[in-house]
Amino acid sequence: MTNKIVTLVTGGNRGMGLALIKALHAQGQQLIMGSRDLAKGRAAVEAAHLADVTVVQLDVTDSQSIQAAVNTIQKQYGQLDILINNAGAAFDHHQRPSLIKLETIQADLNLNFLGTIAMTQACLPLLTKSSPSKIINISSMMGSRTH
């Protein structure tokens, strides 16, 4: 157990996720970086000189990966104060909806929608051990109604 705020950032090894990790680390939080590729997550932590950030292999589209990450957090910290659902991508390459293959739409939904739900459900037992706890869902311009 730690008396620091324990925060998990999915998709934390690059882009917006890594920026969140750096900013929250500077505020003194205990960060857990979820990275689909463990080696890339560890390399990001090393490059950013964040030795005390925990890296877990985490693919939000894979229930076994999610459960393994949750188990690691449970064993190491016993709770989770903040879940930041940041993992996401767009696979459509700005194609017209009438031209996008169904498999592409399914991949988008699996990662950006169902993955967020799966992560939230899996983390709820850890989040309920903390009061107050927070769930933050990050979106990008791809979620914009005006784009």
Side-chain angles (χ1 to χ4, degrees), residues 13-88:
N13 61 297
R14 63 187 186 91
M16 197 176 336
L18 185 56
L20 286 165
I21 294 273
K22 290 176 181 177
L24 296 173
H25 184 270
Q27 292 180 8
Q29 292 188 21
Q30 177 59 58
L31 277 298
I32 304 161
M33 174 190 288
S35 178
R36 197 172 31 160
D37 182 317
L38 190 57
K40 288 181 180 178
R42 289 180 176 153
V45 163
E46 187 175 323
H49 307 289
L50 302 170
D52 59 338
V53 171
T54 300
V55 182
V56 294
Q57 190 284 325
L58 179 58
D59 178 345
V60 301
T61 66
D62 179 343
S63 61
Q64 290 179 335
S65 174
I66 292 170
Q67 194 55 56
V70 168
N71 290 345
T72 297
I73 296 166
Q74 171 64 42
K75 287 178 190 167
Q76 196 161 345
Y77 301 103
Q79 70 181 56
L80 185 62
D81 300 295
I82 303 172
L83 167 62
I84 301 178
N85 285 308
N86 172 69

